Amino acid sequence: MNYGVFQEYYSSNWSLDGSRSTTGIIGTTSNGIIYLSMPLLFALFTKRWARWRQHAAVFGVAITSLSFFLSSYSSHVWHLVATQGVVPAFGCALVYSPATLSLGEWYSSHNRAVAYGIVLACKNVVGSVCPFIFRLLLDHYGFRIALKAWAAIAVGTGLIGIYLTPAQPVVLSRSLHSSQGVPWHFLRHKTFHIYVVAIVLQSSGYGIPQTYLNTYAHEVTMLSQATATLLLTLFNVPGIFASTFFGYLSDKKRFSVPASTVTAISAASSALSAFMFWGLSTPGNMAILAVFSITFGFFAGGYSATWGGIINELEQEAADHNEAIDPGLVYGLLNGARGIGYVSGGLAGVPLLGAGKSLSQNGFGYETVYGPLIIFTGLSSAFGGWGALWKCKKLIRRVDMEMFPVGQSQR
């Protein structure tokens, strides 16, 4: 959530061996590995290894903190990639997966999407506060001391969080995990694959501003480092409210809003934000970048909170076909799709940055070296809502079949 602060610091204070541009993949790689590992971890901890959830989370905290500590001794760029982008990401996944599974079991029938949304909002709370903590540590002590301090914070908060997390409900612990079979019937339905593709596309662009917005604001828009850090906070704060809001919409409490519509609202609005505000930003114009951070942070940041509604829709589809479905496993696979998007976006970001024109201090954001990144962010965000188009196509086909039965159509 806050790697952009480190990215900007590395760009201005590079002292390691290797290509500095490689640091651009660290943040998206970290997010990608977290999400890519979730399908396997959710599948294991939902049934077979359910009793080992807390032990796995403690182990995850240990390897995450140790990796950040070792990162403070990095001398080559690949050290940073390994100790900030790869190893701690897997440790974080070992914490997140068991906790999320337990959450889904406590809210198995009501308010699941809202519960997911509130928990997802917590990452935005951290993302709103930590940029200033990181900036303070980096400016006064350098990245080596900053990483040691973060390793200590990860140990303290991680262990407290694990032991505050309630165990799975007694009824579920006795019944849900007694069955060893994993229901895979949902993989036969198009609905699941439509949403997976949408998540991959949206996620590939979501990580780009988190990585490059700070550097863009400092180098192109000529804003101070403190102001650039503020933009990252403005990016994360709206997600606190967006996750709960989109979770509420997805639970259909008072308004019957299909999951495809909710994802389309998030995707289309975040795409417009990237095209209209980031793309049209100009040097020295803090206001338009602030508007971009707030609007994109709200609409794109709430996208993952729509997954509760997606799972509700898949459960209904399974019930219509008299099939079993494991919501925890489905949620893990949706997170895996997000991981594919994060990694793809990170890998695409480096060549896209190189494909831009030489760094310009004048003109709109489109005219700078970041122009291809801006366009990529907008397009990938827009395609994240294509599930609504698919649903419209199904609806049109259904209406057409009702109005023109097969026999009449042939005549």
Side-chain angles (χ1 to χ4, degrees):
M1 297 297 294
N2 304 284
Y3 175 72
V5 179
F6 281 88
Q7 172 71 7
E8 192 279 327
Y9 178 86
Y10 295 144
S11 298
S12 305
N13 304 273
W14 186 245
S15 60
L16 279 67
D17 296 329
S19 173
R20 179 170 55 184
S21 64
T22 305
T23 59
I25 70 171
I26 293 176
T28 49
T29 298
S30 176
N31 280 309
I33 289 176
I34 290 175
Y35 289 108
L36 280 173
S37 61
M38 285 184 191
L40 174 62
L41 294 177
F42 272 68
L44 290 174
F45 290 119
T46 189
K47 292 181 181 295
R48 187 175 301 174
W49 292 357
R51 66 183 181 276
W52 298 106
R53 288 179 184 178
Q54 193 174 68
H55 297 82
V58 171
F59 180 68
V61 169
I63 63 174
T64 296
S65 302
L66 179 61
S67 184
F68 282 127
F69 180 80
L70 293 176
S71 185
S72 65
Y73 295 99
S74 298
S75 59
H76 198 282
V77 65
W78 75 264
H79 298 162
L80 294 180
V81 175
T83 58
Q84 291 184 39
V86 179
V87 178
F90 183 69
C92 289
L94 284 173
V95 177
Y96 179 82
S97 299
T100 306
L101 278 169
S102 297
L103 180 75
E105 290 167 358
W106 280 102
Y107 294 91
S108 58
S109 57
H110 300 289
N111 300 314
R112 177 192 288 146
V114 174
Y116 281 148
I118 292 174
V119 170
L120 290 170
C122 294
K123 69 180 174 61
N124 293 93
V125 174
V126 177
S128 305
V129 176
C130 282
F132 296 103
I133 297 175
F134 286 141
R135 175 54 59 192
L136 179 67
L137 291 171
L138 289 171
D139 288 344
H140 287 79
Y141 305 105
F143 85 96
R144 300 187 188 278
I145 298 297
L147 287 169
K148 288 185 176 70
W150 182 245
I153 292 172
V155 169
T157 58
L159 293 178
I160 292 172
I162 289 169
Y163 288 108
L164 285 176
T165 302
Q168 44 189 166
V170 175
V171 174
L172 284 169
S173 64
R174 290 176 178 173
S175 61
L176 180 64
H177 307 301
S178 60
S179 173
Q180 296 299 317
V182 177
W184 296 101
H185 310 288
F186 63 90
L187 293 178
R188 298 199 299 258
H189 302 298
K190 289 184 179 179
T191 304
F192 173 77
H193 300 286
I194 292 296
Y195 284 124
V196 163
V197 172
I199 291 170
V200 170
L201 293 171
Q202 192 272 345
S203 301
S204 64
Y206 179 58
I208 296 295
Q210 290 179 327
T211 300
Y212 293 103
L213 184 60
N214 259 45
T215 310
Y216 175 87
H218 184 56
E219 293 182 353
V220 177
T221 316
M222 308 305 292
L223 299 177
S224 66
Q225 291 181 341
T227 305
T229 302
L230 176 62
L231 288 175
L232 196 58
T233 295
L234 292 177
F235 185 93
N236 285 305
V237 167
I240 300 172
F241 310 100
S243 295
T244 305
F245 172 72
F246 282 107
Y248 176 80
L249 286 183
S250 299
D251 261 336
K252 303 180 183 180
K253 289 300 179 186
R254 295 186 179 180
F255 309 100
S256 181
V257 184
S260 58
T261 302
V262 181
T263 57
I265 293 172
S266 171
S269 301
S270 53
L272 286 173
S273 173
F275 287 133
M276 295 177 61
F277 301 127
W278 194 9
L280 298 178
S281 61
T282 54
N285 192 337
M286 164 68 177
I288 194 167
L289 272 185
V291 172
F292 164 71
S293 298
I294 294 170
T295 53
F296 191 88
F298 181 86
F299 289 105
Y303 187 86
S304 55
T306 66
W307 299 353
I310 293 174
I311 293 175
N312 291 338
E313 186 173 309
L314 292 172
E315 283 185 319
Q316 183 60 51
E317 191 170 282
D320 293 341
H321 290 82
N322 196 27
E323 297 171 347
I325 188 170
D326 187 331
L329 176 61
V330 174
Y331 192 77
L333 292 174
L334 296 182
N335 278 283
R338 182 160 195 154
I340 295 173
Y342 265 121
V343 172
S344 302
L347 294 175
V350 175
L352 284 171
L353 195 62
K357 300 178 181 179
S358 59
L359 194 63
S360 171
Q361 302 298 337
N362 299 303
F364 297 119
Y366 293 118
E367 303 174 64
T368 70
V369 69
Y370 294 89
L373 283 174
I374 296 171
I375 295 172
F376 177 81
T377 300
L379 288 177
S380 59
S381 298
F383 283 118
W386 85 295
L389 297 178
W390 176 71
K391 280 298 182 72
C392 288
K393 183 179 178 181
K394 284 185 63 178
L395 180 61
I396 292 173
R397 186 181 303 169
R398 185 181 304 168
V399 172
D400 183 62
M401 291 179 63
E402 291 177 355
M403 294 181 63
F404 305 99
V406 176
Q408 294 183 18
S409 298
Q410 292 175 348
R411 288 196 297 269

